[in-house]
């Protein structure tokens, strides 16, 4: 965890802003108010090195020694660094994933999407998640990085790392994550995305490999979740689906943005208190973990779905974690924090948005009579990630 040279004034709380709260069960501070969350995500008093602190808190000395190679690999992810190191490491990746480059990918993403939809049409049952959401996100990231690795393998890597990051005290998760780290390193050797990145020394090679492993990880699970939730929302509202089929101006982009608000794939980001400070009478100590909500909810704020009033849309279209249904009104990018905020804003955000928009357009063009089946959605929620394990549809025949 990098400390600032000198403390700066802590984030300020405007009237009505919810102060940070200590959660005994999670043993960390929770920032649920989005106005305060924006400040925390962009404030030098909160560092990004949550992995390092989590290794200390949740792994035994023996586990840290045994899996030192794994912990070093994760420490090298540039999202775990702060300025100026983060700025320097992020810049070449950001240049590579520029807006013009992402736009240039559209024809290839359309091809991948059509191929995945063809596979979905031939499947029984027609499950969006493995055939389309995992397929598109995996094949797009393989194309961007330059890997010849199928989506099921890529998603196995990502999910294995997710399990370890979420439960570092589990030795079995650490063992599996270490094996995945080795597989990823071998697969990334010679990948086209690594060209032009430093590889002269062992340290350079380790950093470059970790950087692109992180990019792979970031472009898989959350994107697959966004794709699944986008289709669930679209097909769960027949009026909305009619607008998309008719290609009404703004219908697709507005829907993608509304899904990012109502069903964000990632619910929280972690930070570490960089030095002792006080916010709204709460004393935050150096080294305390902070869970920053990207949704405006704390981790325990969500009501039991069984207790919620009957929704106006099919029950399968209601997220059991957030209780969210489709958002009818447009929601601009500034209305959500799902891609982060400030210097750590996700470099892959334009790519994820493009994949979701192209999927909606290609599905509507090819399968305008698609619908959700009964009990279509099978959710696989946890504390931070919100996504579908399965989404069953009936494509209704090709146009």
């Amino acid at each position: 965890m990098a400390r600032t040279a000198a403390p700066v004034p802590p984030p300020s709380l405007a009237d009505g802003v919810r102060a940070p709260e200590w959660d005994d069960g999670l043993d960390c501070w929770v920032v649920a108010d989005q106005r305060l969350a924006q400040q925390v995500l962009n404030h030098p008093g909160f560092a990004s090195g949550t992995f390092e602190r989590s290794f200390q808190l949740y792994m035994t000395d023996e586990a840290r020694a045994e899996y030192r190679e794994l912990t070093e690999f994760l420490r090298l992810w540039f999202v775990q660094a702060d300025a100026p190191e983060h700025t320097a490491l992020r810049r070449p990746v950001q240049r590579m994933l520029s807006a013009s480059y992402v736009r240039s990918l559209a024809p290839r993403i359309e091809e991948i999407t059509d191929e995945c939809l063809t596979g979905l049409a031939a499947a029984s049952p027609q499950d969006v998640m493995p055939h389309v959401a995992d397929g598109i996100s995996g094949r797009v990231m393989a194309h961007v990085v330059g890997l010849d690795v199928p989506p099921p393998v890529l998603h196995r890597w990502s999910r294995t790392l997710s399990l370890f990051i979420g439960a570092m005290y589990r030795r079995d998760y650490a063992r599996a994550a270490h094996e995945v780290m080795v597989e990823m390193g071998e697969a990334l050797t010679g990948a086209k995305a690594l060209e032009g990145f430093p590889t002269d020394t062992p340290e350079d090679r380790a950093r470059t490999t970790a950087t692109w492993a992180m990019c792979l990880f970031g472009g898989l699970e959350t994107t697959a979740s966004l794709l699944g939730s986008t289709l669930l929302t679209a097909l769960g509202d027949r009026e909305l689906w009619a607008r998309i089929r008719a290609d009404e101006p703004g219908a697709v982009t507005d829907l993608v943005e509304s899904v990012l608000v109502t069903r964000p794939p990632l619910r929280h980001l972690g930070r570490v208190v960089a030095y002792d400070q006080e916010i709204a009478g709460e004393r935050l100590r150096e080294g305390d973990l902070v869970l920053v909500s990207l949704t405006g909810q704390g981790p325990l704020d969500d009501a039991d779905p069984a207790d919620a009033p009957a929704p106006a849309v099919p029950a399968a279209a209601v997220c059991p974690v957030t209780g969210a249904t489709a958002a009818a009104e447009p929601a601009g990018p500034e209305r959500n924090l799902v891609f982060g905020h400030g210097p750590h804003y996700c470099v892959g955000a334009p790519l994820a948005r493009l994949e979701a928009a192209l999927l909606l357009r290609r599905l509507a063009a090819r399968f305008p009579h698609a619908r959700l089946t009964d009990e279509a959605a099978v959710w696989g929620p946890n504390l931070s990630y919100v996504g579908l394990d399965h989404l069953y549809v009936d494509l209704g025949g090709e146009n």
Side-chain angles (χ1 to χ4, degrees):
M1 179 185 67
R3 294 187 63 182
T4 56
V8 298
S12 59
L13 270 70
D15 290 342
V17 172
R18 182 174 173 181
E21 300 173 8
W22 180 258
D23 189 293
D24 288 324
L26 298 172
D27 199 26
C28 70
W29 293 99
V30 175
V31 173
D33 191 288
Q34 287 202 301
R35 290 165 291 179
L36 181 58
Q38 282 190 341
Q39 293 189 66
V40 168
L41 292 174
N42 199 23
H43 192 281
F46 297 87
S48 302
T50 52
F51 286 172
E52 174 65 31
R53 186 63 177 136
S54 296
F55 299 150
Q56 297 168 2
L57 291 173
Y58 305 126
M59 296 181 74
T60 64
D61 293 342
E62 294 78 7
R64 288 200 303 273
E66 183 177 359
Y67 295 106
R68 182 176 180 276
E69 189 177 2
L70 172 63
T71 58
E72 288 299 321
F73 165 74
L74 292 173
R75 282 189 186 99
L76 291 175
W77 288 15
F78 68 71
V79 295
Q80 292 294 301
D82 290 302
E85 181 184 15
H86 170 264
T87 305
L89 294 171
R90 174 191 171 97
R91 186 176 293 116
V93 177
Q94 191 166 353
R95 281 200 299 265
M96 182 170 176
L97 294 176
S98 66
S100 60
Y101 172 70
V102 170
R103 286 194 296 270
S104 77
L105 292 175
R108 179 59 185 140
I109 297 175
E110 284 192 351
E111 291 176 1
I112 290 171
T113 300
D114 279 339
E115 290 164 4
C116 288
L117 288 173
T118 297
L120 177 65
S124 180
Q126 293 175 338
D127 186 353
V128 164
M129 296 314 294
H131 294 288
V132 174
D134 287 0
I136 293 173
S137 58
R139 291 180 62 183
V140 168
M141 286 310 301
H143 176 78
V144 168
V145 179
L147 293 178
D148 185 19
V149 178
V153 174
L154 293 174
H155 281 279
R156 174 176 62 80
W157 290 351
S158 181
R159 287 163 186 159
T160 300
L161 289 174
S162 294
L163 286 173
F164 171 68
I165 291 169
M168 292 180 178
Y169 56 87
R170 293 277 298 262
R171 295 288 282 271
D172 55 339
Y173 287 178
R175 186 182 311 112
H178 182 272
E179 293 170 358
V180 160
M181 176 201 69
V182 173
E183 289 182 44
M184 294 179 82
E186 292 173 350
L188 283 165
T189 301
K192 70 175 183 181
L194 278 64
E195 296 174 2
F197 283 74
T199 55
D200 293 338
T201 68
E203 292 77 12
D204 287 340
R205 289 191 291 275
R207 173 70 78 180
T208 294
T209 299
T211 291
W212 284 104
M214 182 203 72
C215 291
L216 265 181
F217 175 83
L220 291 168
E221 295 314 300
T222 52
T223 301
S225 174
L226 173 62
L227 298 180
S229 291
T230 298
L231 289 195
L232 173 64
T233 304
L235 296 178
D237 184 327
R238 302 314 294 176
E239 181 179 342
L240 178 60
W241 183 236
R243 292 178 55 215
I244 292 169
R245 291 202 318 265
D247 197 22
E248 289 187 13
V252 166
T253 54
D254 285 350
L255 174 57
V256 172
E257 293 307 316
S258 74
V259 170
L260 288 170
V261 173
T262 59
R263 293 195 179 104
L266 185 64
R267 299 183 64 210
H268 305 97
L269 288 176
R271 289 293 184 265
V272 182
V273 179
Y275 46 76
D276 292 357
Q277 55 187 291
E278 186 173 309
I279 301 179
E282 299 289 353
R283 189 68 177 170
L284 282 62
R285 303 291 183 182
E286 178 184 345
D288 286 350
L289 285 176
V290 181
L291 202 61
V292 182
S293 172
L294 304 179
T295 65
Q297 294 174 308
L300 303 178
D301 283 349
D302 308 315
D304 185 338
D307 297 332
V313 295
V318 180
C319 174
V321 178
T322 64
T325 60
E329 76 282 359
E334 74 283 353
R335 288 191 53 194
N336 69 76
L337 294 175
V338 72
F339 291 116
H341 181 70
H344 283 267
Y345 188 82
C346 177
V347 295
L351 182 58
R353 284 184 164 108
L354 178 63
E355 290 176 57
L358 289 178
L359 172 56
L360 280 171
R361 291 189 173 104
R362 296 309 301 151
L363 179 69
R366 287 188 59 182
F367 300 101
H369 304 296
R371 64 178 182 85
L372 299 176
T373 64
D374 295 335
E375 305 299 324
V378 180
W379 293 91
N382 62 32
L383 178 63
S384 292
Y385 293 94
V386 177
L388 292 154
D389 284 345
H390 303 282
L391 179 62
Y392 299 109
V393 299
D394 180 349
L395 291 180
E398 196 158 357
N399 196 13

